[in-house]
Tab-separated table of all heavy atoms in Angstrom:
chain	number	residue	atom	x	y	z
A	81	GLY	N	110.843	198.695	174.841
A	81	GLY	CA	112.183	199.235	174.998
A	81	GLY	C	112.519	199.353	176.477
A	81	GLY	O	111.619	199.463	177.311
A	82	PHE	N	113.827	199.315	176.763
A	82	PHE	CA	114.224	199.272	178.178
A	82	PHE	C	115.684	199.741	178.300
A	82	PHE	O	116.515	199.355	177.524
A	82	PHE	CB	114.104	197.821	178.678
A	82	PHE	CG	114.556	197.598	180.083
A	82	PHE	CD1	113.773	197.973	181.155
A	82	PHE	CD2	115.792	197.016	180.328
A	82	PHE	CE1	114.196	197.772	182.445
A	82	PHE	CE2	116.228	196.813	181.610
A	82	PHE	CZ	115.420	197.193	182.686
A	83	THR	N	115.928	200.598	179.289
A	83	THR	CA	117.291	201.021	179.615
A	83	THR	C	117.484	200.958	181.130
A	83	THR	O	116.503	201.127	181.901
A	83	THR	CB	117.652	202.434	179.140
A	83	THR	OG1	116.784	203.360	179.786
A	83	THR	CG2	117.497	202.567	177.622
A	84	ILE	N	118.684	200.735	181.576
A	84	ILE	CA	118.994	200.726	182.988
A	84	ILE	C	120.367	201.366	183.229
A	84	ILE	O	121.265	201.196	182.417
A	84	ILE	CB	118.911	199.285	183.566
A	84	ILE	CG1	119.024	199.309	185.081
A	84	ILE	CG2	119.970	198.392	182.916
A	84	ILE	CD1	118.687	197.981	185.762
A	85	ASP	N	120.444	202.134	184.289
A	85	ASP	CA	121.707	202.716	184.718
A	85	ASP	C	122.041	202.166	186.106
A	85	ASP	O	121.221	202.317	187.048
A	85	ASP	CB	121.625	204.240	184.756
A	85	ASP	CG	121.541	204.857	183.387
A	85	ASP	OD1	122.464	204.672	182.604
A	85	ASP	OD2	120.517	205.474	183.073
A	86	PHE	N	123.219	201.541	186.216
A	86	PHE	CA	123.660	201.001	187.474
A	86	PHE	C	124.431	202.120	188.209
A	86	PHE	O	125.378	202.675	187.668
A	86	PHE	CB	124.571	199.785	187.263
A	86	PHE	CG	123.900	198.685	186.460
A	86	PHE	CD1	124.209	198.450	185.135
A	86	PHE	CD2	122.913	197.894	187.054
A	86	PHE	CE1	123.601	197.452	184.423
A	86	PHE	CE2	122.275	196.928	186.350
A	86	PHE	CZ	122.629	196.688	185.009
A	87	LEU	N	124.003	202.438	189.418
A	87	LEU	CA	124.561	203.550	190.148
A	87	LEU	C	125.665	203.134	191.128
A	87	LEU	O	126.618	203.876	191.380
A	87	LEU	CB	123.463	204.294	190.915
A	87	LEU	CG	122.300	204.776	190.030
A	87	LEU	CD1	121.237	205.416	190.910
A	87	LEU	CD2	122.787	205.707	188.963
A	88	ARG	N	125.492	201.960	191.747
A	88	ARG	CA	126.478	201.445	192.709
A	88	ARG	C	126.202	199.967	192.854
A	88	ARG	O	125.150	199.470	192.521
A	88	ARG	CB	126.372	202.167	194.050
A	88	ARG	CG	125.067	201.955	194.794
A	88	ARG	CD	125.004	202.722	196.123
A	88	ARG	NE	125.421	204.084	196.047
A	88	ARG	CZ	124.633	205.124	195.781
A	88	ARG	NH1	123.347	204.945	195.576
A	88	ARG	NH2	125.122	206.346	195.720
A	89	PRO	N	127.189	199.218	193.397
A	89	PRO	CA	126.957	197.768	193.608
A	89	PRO	C	125.739	197.565	194.500
A	89	PRO	O	125.533	198.265	195.487
A	89	PRO	CB	128.241	197.311	194.286
A	89	PRO	CG	129.266	198.295	193.852
A	89	PRO	CD	128.559	199.624	193.758
A	90	ALA	N	124.933	196.600	194.142
A	90	ALA	CA	123.725	196.273	194.888
A	90	ALA	C	124.072	195.264	195.972
A	90	ALA	O	124.362	194.102	195.669
A	90	ALA	CB	122.655	195.713	193.930
A	91	LEU	N	124.027	195.732	197.212
A	91	LEU	CA	124.356	194.896	198.369
A	91	LEU	C	123.243	194.993	199.367
A	91	LEU	O	122.731	196.102	199.613
A	91	LEU	CB	125.653	195.388	199.008
A	91	LEU	CG	126.888	195.467	198.113
A	91	LEU	CD1	128.002	196.239	198.785
A	91	LEU	CD2	127.346	194.065	197.722
A	92	GLY	N	122.815	193.902	199.983
A	92	GLY	CA	121.807	193.965	201.007
A	92	GLY	C	121.076	192.659	201.150
A	92	GLY	O	121.500	191.618	200.590
A	93	GLU	N	119.992	192.691	201.860
A	93	GLU	CA	119.183	191.489	202.139
A	93	GLU	C	118.053	191.317	201.115
A	93	GLU	O	117.676	190.230	200.781
A	93	GLU	CB	118.562	191.576	203.538
A	93	GLU	CG	119.569	191.765	204.659
A	93	GLU	CD	120.372	190.515	204.898
A	93	GLU	OE1	119.811	189.427	204.872
A	93	GLU	OE2	121.596	190.653	205.129
A	94	THR	N	117.469	192.444	200.689
A	94	THR	CA	116.282	192.435	199.817
A	94	THR	C	116.511	193.431	198.674
A	94	THR	O	117.062	194.506	198.858
A	94	THR	CB	115.045	192.858	200.611
A	94	THR	OG1	114.881	191.992	201.720
A	94	THR	CG2	113.790	192.831	199.771
A	95	LEU	N	116.067	193.023	197.487
A	95	LEU	CA	116.041	193.945	196.339
A	95	LEU	C	114.597	194.421	196.171
A	95	LEU	O	113.669	193.612	196.119
A	95	LEU	CB	116.511	193.254	195.084
A	95	LEU	CG	116.458	194.077	193.798
A	95	LEU	CD1	117.394	195.279	193.862
A	95	LEU	CD2	116.760	193.211	192.572
A	96	ARG	N	114.416	195.741	196.123
A	96	ARG	CA	113.085	196.318	195.926
A	96	ARG	C	113.091	197.125	194.652
A	96	ARG	O	113.966	197.995	194.448
A	96	ARG	CB	112.734	197.215	197.114
A	96	ARG	CG	111.360	197.864	196.979
A	96	ARG	CD	111.014	198.694	198.214
A	96	ARG	NE	110.932	197.797	199.379
A	96	ARG	CZ	111.404	198.104	200.591
A	96	ARG	NH1	111.942	199.289	200.825
A	96	ARG	NH2	111.305	197.265	201.580
A	97	SER	N	112.147	196.826	193.786
A	97	SER	CA	112.029	197.482	192.496
A	97	SER	C	110.659	198.190	192.456
A	97	SER	O	109.615	197.525	192.421
A	97	SER	CB	112.133	196.450	191.394
A	97	SER	OG	112.038	197.030	190.133
A	98	HIS	N	110.677	199.506	192.510
A	98	HIS	CA	109.433	200.272	192.495
A	98	HIS	C	109.315	201.018	191.177
A	98	HIS	O	110.140	201.846	190.833
A	98	HIS	CB	109.392	201.273	193.651
A	98	HIS	CG	108.161	202.128	193.626
A	98	HIS	ND1	106.940	201.667	194.039
A	98	HIS	CD2	107.966	203.369	193.181
A	98	HIS	CE1	106.048	202.616	193.873
A	98	HIS	NE2	106.642	203.651	193.322
A	99	ALA	N	108.262	200.674	190.428
A	99	ALA	CA	108.018	201.292	189.123
A	99	ALA	C	106.750	202.125	189.144
A	99	ALA	O	105.785	201.788	189.854
A	99	ALA	CB	107.961	200.237	188.031
A	100	ARG	N	106.740	203.178	188.339
A	100	ARG	CA	105.552	204.009	188.207
A	100	ARG	C	105.416	204.472	186.744
A	100	ARG	O	106.439	204.716	186.076
A	100	ARG	CB	105.569	205.150	189.164
A	100	ARG	CG	106.632	206.175	188.951
A	100	ARG	CD	106.734	207.166	190.150
A	100	ARG	NE	107.895	207.987	190.070
A	100	ARG	CZ	109.141	207.610	190.328
A	100	ARG	NH1	109.382	206.377	190.710
A	100	ARG	NH2	110.140	208.455	190.222
A	101	VAL	N	104.199	204.591	186.302
A	101	VAL	CA	103.941	205.082	184.953
A	101	VAL	C	104.211	206.559	184.941
A	101	VAL	O	103.665	207.315	185.782
A	101	VAL	CB	102.475	204.761	184.540
A	101	VAL	CG1	102.149	205.428	183.220
A	101	VAL	CG2	102.249	203.242	184.484
A	102	ILE	N	105.007	206.996	184.003
A	102	ILE	CA	105.295	208.422	183.791
A	102	ILE	C	104.264	208.998	182.830
A	102	ILE	O	103.750	210.086	183.004
A	102	ILE	CB	106.724	208.608	183.228
A	102	ILE	CG1	107.759	208.026	184.158
A	102	ILE	CG2	106.993	210.083	182.928
A	102	ILE	CD1	107.746	208.586	185.565
A	103	ARG	N	103.935	208.236	181.805
A	103	ARG	CA	102.911	208.650	180.836
A	103	ARG	C	102.318	207.408	180.208
A	103	ARG	O	103.000	206.533	179.738
A	103	ARG	CB	103.476	209.514	179.728
A	103	ARG	CG	102.400	210.025	178.799
A	103	ARG	CD	102.900	210.899	177.686
A	103	ARG	NE	101.830	211.441	176.887
A	103	ARG	CZ	101.131	210.753	176.009
A	103	ARG	NH1	101.366	209.495	175.813
A	103	ARG	NH2	100.143	211.350	175.331
A	104	ALA	N	100.984	207.377	180.176
A	104	ALA	CA	100.249	206.299	179.527
A	104	ALA	C	99.454	206.893	178.370
A	104	ALA	O	98.702	207.849	178.568
A	104	ALA	CB	99.319	205.568	180.513
A	105	GLY	N	99.626	206.355	177.197
A	105	GLY	CA	98.854	206.753	176.013
A	105	GLY	C	97.888	205.673	175.643
A	105	GLY	O	97.566	204.792	176.452
A	106	ARG	N	97.421	205.711	174.393
A	106	ARG	CA	96.470	204.708	173.932
A	106	ARG	C	97.109	203.330	173.739
A	106	ARG	O	96.476	202.316	173.982
A	106	ARG	CB	95.866	205.117	172.587
A	106	ARG	CG	94.811	206.209	172.686
A	106	ARG	CD	94.138	206.505	171.351
A	106	ARG	NE	94.985	206.412	170.158
A	106	ARG	CZ	95.006	205.385	169.310
A	106	ARG	NH1	94.240	204.342	169.508
A	106	ARG	NH2	95.793	205.387	168.261
A	107	THR	N	98.358	203.323	173.289
A	107	THR	CA	98.988	202.032	172.970
A	107	THR	C	100.295	201.770	173.702
A	107	THR	O	100.853	200.657	173.597
A	107	THR	CB	99.299	201.957	171.452
A	107	THR	OG1	100.221	203.008	171.090
A	107	THR	CG2	98.015	202.090	170.651
A	108	ARG	N	100.814	202.741	174.457
A	108	ARG	CA	102.091	202.576	175.153
A	108	ARG	C	102.072	203.285	176.461
A	108	ARG	O	101.358	204.246	176.674
A	108	ARG	CB	103.235	203.145	174.313
A	108	ARG	CG	103.520	202.307	173.083
A	108	ARG	CD	104.693	202.904	172.290
A	108	ARG	NE	104.881	202.087	171.121
A	108	ARG	CZ	105.975	201.356	170.902
A	108	ARG	NH1	106.960	201.347	171.730
A	108	ARG	NH2	106.071	200.649	169.780
A	109	ALA	N	102.912	202.791	177.354
A	109	ALA	CA	103.163	203.460	178.624
A	109	ALA	C	104.656	203.550	178.873
A	109	ALA	O	105.389	202.561	178.642
A	109	ALA	CB	102.472	202.711	179.777
A	110	VAL	N	105.130	204.694	179.328
A	110	VAL	CA	106.515	204.850	179.691
A	110	VAL	C	106.587	204.822	181.222
A	110	VAL	O	105.809	205.510	181.901
A	110	VAL	CB	107.078	206.201	179.163
A	110	VAL	CG1	108.499	206.424	179.675
A	110	VAL	CG2	107.009	206.228	177.652
A	111	CYS	N	107.471	203.987	181.749
A	111	CYS	CA	107.592	203.796	183.198
A	111	CYS	C	109.011	204.081	183.645
A	111	CYS	O	109.955	203.828	182.905
A	111	CYS	CB	107.250	202.352	183.545
A	111	CYS	SG	105.586	201.836	183.072
A	112	ARG	N	109.132	204.570	184.854
A	112	ARG	CA	110.437	204.735	185.512
A	112	ARG	C	110.492	203.753	186.694
A	112	ARG	O	109.469	203.514	187.343
A	112	ARG	CB	110.614	206.149	186.042
A	112	ARG	CG	111.916	206.338	186.796
A	112	ARG	CD	112.019	207.615	187.543
A	112	ARG	NE	112.984	207.528	188.576
A	112	ARG	CZ	114.180	208.137	188.518
A	112	ARG	NH1	114.469	208.927	187.518
A	112	ARG	NH2	115.040	208.006	189.533
A	113	CYS	N	111.674	203.239	186.947
A	113	CYS	CA	111.829	202.273	188.018
A	113	CYS	C	113.046	202.615	188.836
A	113	CYS	O	114.127	202.844	188.299
A	113	CYS	CB	111.935	200.864	187.441
A	113	CYS	SG	111.993	199.601	188.738
Side-chain angles (χ1 to χ4, degrees):
F82 176 78
T83 62
I84 188 167
D85 290 298
F86 303 106
L87 306 176
R88 64 181 47 90
L91 305 167
E93 303 289 319
T94 303
L95 176 64
R96 180 176 297 140
S97 181
H98 177 77
R100 64 191 171 285
V101 173
I102 302 302
R103 183 180 186 285
R106 285 186 323 103
T107 62
R108 290 181 181 246
V110 176
C111 301
R112 176 190 161 110
C113 185

